[in-house]
Amino acid sequence: MIAALYVQPRGCYSGRPEIDPWDEARDARRYEGPHPVVAHPPCRLWTNFAALNFKRYGGEHNRPGNDHGCFAAALSAIRTWGGVLEHPAFSNAWKTHGLRAPLTLGWGQGIDGVWTCEVWQSAYGHSARKRTWLAYVGKAPPPELDWSRPAGTHQVGWFDRIKPTLGKKAASATPPAFADLLLSLARGAA
């Protein structure tokens, strides 16, 4: 059994008998084991644009890093039960929580024992490159991943202004092959 934390109720993890999905209604911050996890904590307030949005719109609900402890709980879950956490590349949560930023292609291990890397979800079927940082904790080092960096046919946001922009749902969706990879990492962590 794998616990999938912070997932969509009808997303790629639902309806699979080997997965215990924790959506917003179940509140993944309350997960107490005992299974290894795949964690997708909310990222909106950890991106570089969070500070700009806070300055523009204000409100505690827009304060950078104010995710009500979701990232901290996800990190605690992988440290306690093993597994993998994913967040957008350059997430400010990494620095806030003392994680080693990926420095080179491939996995690197921080002094806290957490393995980190950057992977592009386009290598696993996403239509945008979707650069993603992973944090992994397991009994053995993590396996090699597909480190290729396909450009993708679409973009998330409006950064290069040449490719079509994905809608919010498509942009945040986890491709099935990437979900399978994350589940494989969590299984290997046990």
Side-chain angles (χ1 to χ4, degrees), residues 69-83:
C70 292
F71 190 93
L75 184 57
S76 177
I78 70 164
R79 285 181 167 150
T80 303
W81 307 108

Side-chain angles (χ1 to χ4, degrees), residues 4-24 40 169 172-176 179-180 183:
L5 309 181
Y6 307 99
V7 297
Q8 296 299 316
R10 289 182 287 282
C12 62
Y13 297 102
S14 65
R16 296 172 71 165
E18 76 280 13
I19 299 172
D20 180 16
W22 287 69
D23 61 10
E24 186 176 357
H40 295 272
K169 186 174 181 177
S172 66
T174 301
D180 289 343
L183 290 168

Side-chain angles (χ1 to χ4, degrees), residues 6 22 26-32 67-71 73-74:
Y6 307 99
W22 287 69
R26 280 187 80 186
D27 191 357
R29 293 173 298 175
R30 297 187 331 225
Y31 181 70
E32 295 180 353
D67 70 353
H68 304 287
C70 292
F71 190 93

Side-chain angles (χ1 to χ4, degrees), residues 104-182:
T104 59
L105 197 61
W107 291 102
Q109 191 174 29
I111 58 171
D112 59 355
V114 178
W115 292 85
T116 60
C117 73
E118 178 177 308
V119 64
W120 288 22
Q121 290 191 38
S122 54
Y124 292 91
H126 202 286
S127 57
R129 64 183 181 172
K130 202 170 177 188
R131 295 171 68 179
T132 303
W133 285 2
L134 301 179
Y136 168 86
V137 175
K139 294 181 180 176
E144 289 300 310
L145 306 181
D146 182 345
W147 304 118
S148 66
R149 296 181 168 195
T153 57
H154 290 71
Q155 65 181 341
V156 173
W158 43 265
F159 301 106
D160 64 25
R161 300 179 191 260
I162 297 170
K163 299 175 188 171
T165 301
L166 292 173
K168 186 176 179 179
K169 186 174 181 177
S172 66
T174 301
F178 193 62
D180 289 343
L181 166 74
L182 298 177

